[in-house]
Amino acid sequence: CGFGDLERLRGRDRVGGRFARCGGLACNGSHGLRDVRRCHGRRRAGVRGLCGRRCGVRFGMWRLGRVGLLHMRLVGPLLLLLAAAVWNWNRVNRDVDRGIFRTVALLHEEVLGSLQTDRLILARIADRVAGMDWPTIISQEAALGRFLKAATQEAPDVDGAFLADASGEPQVATREYPVLARREPAPTHVNVSDRGYFQAARRGTPFTIDGPFASHATGREIFDVAMRLTSPDGTFRGVAVLTISPQHLTRVWRTLAARGDVVALVREDGAIINRYPSLPLARDGAPARYAPALMARMRRMEAGQIDRLSSNIDGVPRRFGFAKLEGYPLFVAFGVDRHYVVQQWYPTVAAFGETV
């Protein structure tokens, strides 16, 4: 008998019968909860209940209800914790994406402004020597050297400047007077005809950015910004070059990057012109490069975000954003270590888990 049966039995007894039948022996409706438990216990042992029917059926359902309630008390908080974890993960990822977008925008404006300043300086230098042949330029080396120093003082990232003739030999420079070509036979060890920017200018490229490499003059790591010098008849007659110090850019980039973050200036062919944290120069002088598949995707998108599995440079998985510099074969890129995303997400979930 269950609670419902007991009530029906008692009802029949009140209607007029002293005894009521529950399907077996006579039952006087006096079963209580304790009797039901005894009946259920005897039934489980293989003995019929005191009242002759399986009184434990309904009581078993009652026990199942209690077990279900217990499960809900355990599963409910777990489901709530899972929902909170998913919501917080999405929130952290949105915040990281917005941070990457803002940082890339700042880098784009800062680097683009520096390049435009460098280009204006080179245009002034080219205008200053326009129409002058190399013998005339060499005869005015001292005056032109002072002009180069004055012009480059406008840009804090410029470490020096020089003019090289069609053979790649520097003829005027800010760092030394007179230049090495006056004291040694050509070609000297500071000849730049092997540089990529010189070869590109000789092929007809008007403005080129190349590097990083060790300076021929100082041995320090630099990258160069070069402008093609053209004779009145359009033939190639040399280059005007600004030597850029990576340290100036990295000082600015350091203020935008947290631990594990990476900032880079990347050429369209994948060569990394400058990077924070910096990379050691290869023994052969070749710059580090982004993977070809990644660069193909960047060239196709021009701006956006990519969640890479792992960097081919240092092996660290990062989510990074990038943007192309208009008018230049360059990209700025900013990467956030994916472990940082987890670090931002986990404490909030752990704190919520303690409350449930």
Side-chain angles (χ1 to χ4, degrees):
C1 293
F3 290 114
D5 294 325
L6 295 176
E7 291 300 322
R8 287 196 296 272
L9 290 170
R10 291 195 181 95
R12 292 182 62 185
D13 183 57
R14 287 196 297 271
V15 169
R18 179 181 176 185
F19 297 101
R21 294 282 179 176
C22 63
L25 299 175
C27 177
N28 63 3
S30 62
H31 281 39
L33 179 59
R34 191 173 302 169
D35 295 324
V36 172
R37 286 178 176 170
R38 282 202 299 271
C39 288
H40 181 54
R42 293 182 67 187
R43 181 185 67 77
R44 283 189 300 179
V47 182
R48 296 179 67 84
L50 295 175
C51 62
R53 68 179 296 180
R54 298 183 184 277
C55 300
V57 174
R58 289 182 180 270
F59 182 69
M61 295 177 65
W62 176 72
R63 288 189 64 194
L64 287 175
R66 290 189 63 187
V67 172
L69 182 61
L70 179 61
H71 286 175
M72 286 301 297
R73 292 181 63 183
L74 295 176
V75 174
L78 291 178
L79 292 175
L80 186 60
L81 179 60
L82 177 61
V86 172
W87 175 85
N88 192 56
W89 176 257
N90 292 332
R91 180 190 63 81
V92 169
N93 278 273
R94 286 194 300 270
D95 291 346
V96 170
D97 289 343
R98 284 193 290 265
I100 291 174
F101 178 81
R102 289 193 297 266
T103 303
V104 169
L106 289 173
L107 291 170
H108 180 272
E109 294 302 317
E110 191 268 337
V111 175
L112 188 61
S114 295
L115 289 175
Q116 289 172 343
T117 300
D118 296 341
R119 197 161 191 167
L120 288 173
I121 294 173
L122 288 172
R124 286 183 58 193
I125 295 173
D127 288 342
R128 177 67 175 80
V129 298
M132 299 171 62
D133 57 17
W134 283 108
T136 303
I137 292 174
I138 291 171
S139 66
Q140 299 183 23
E141 179 185 356
L144 288 174
R146 290 191 295 271
F147 172 79
L148 293 181
K149 286 183 180 180
T152 55
Q153 286 178 351
E154 302 174 4
D157 61 320
V158 177
D159 199 40
F162 62 90
L163 296 170
D165 60 19
S167 66
E169 201 65 49
Q171 299 295 344
V172 179
T174 58
R175 286 194 168 273
E176 64 177 343
Y177 174 79
V179 295
L180 197 59
R182 308 288 179 273
R183 294 170 279 151
E184 294 183 6
T188 64
H189 73 275
V190 296
N191 189 287
V192 296
S193 59
D194 61 334
R195 297 298 197 195
Y197 65 81
F198 184 86
Q199 297 168 10
R202 187 158 53 189
R203 290 192 299 266
T205 305
F207 184 82
T208 310
I209 300 170
D210 193 20
F213 32 64
S215 169
H216 286 324
T218 65
R220 294 187 302 176
E221 182 180 343
I222 59 168
F223 67 92
D224 288 340
V225 181
M227 179 172 285
R228 186 177 194 266
L229 298 178
T230 306
S231 299
D233 60 357
T235 58
F236 173 70
R237 69 181 189 123
V239 289
V241 182
L242 298 182
T243 300
I244 308 299
S245 170
Q247 285 74 24
H248 172 77
L249 286 177
T250 54
R251 278 196 298 269
V252 177
W253 293 355
R254 191 182 297 118
T255 63
L256 301 174
R259 183 178 180 181
D261 294 348
V262 167
V263 183
L265 179 63
V266 188
R267 206 165 54 203
E268 279 188 339
D269 62 357
I272 299 176
I273 302 298
N274 196 24
R275 183 182 187 269
Y276 174 80
S278 61
L279 295 171
L281 289 173
R283 291 183 178 180
D284 60 357
R289 293 178 180 271
Y290 278 0
L294 175 62
M295 287 310 305
R297 189 173 177 184
M298 291 173 64
R299 287 191 296 267
R300 184 173 64 253
M301 296 172 62
E302 292 196 347
Q305 294 188 20
I306 299 177
D307 195 6
R308 281 195 298 177
L309 296 180
S310 294
S311 167
N312 66 301
I313 304 298
D314 56 13
V316 177
R318 289 188 177 89
R319 177 182 301 173
F320 81 110
F322 61 93
K324 190 176 187 302
L325 300 175
E326 297 83 357
Y328 301 93
L330 296 170
F331 290 88
V332 289
F334 174 67
V336 174
D337 190 340
R338 290 177 62 185
H339 293 104
Y340 169 80
V341 181
V342 177
Q343 291 171 1
Q344 292 292 103
W345 167 76
Y346 178 75
T348 303
V349 175
F352 185 81
E354 292 179 357
T355 63
V356 298

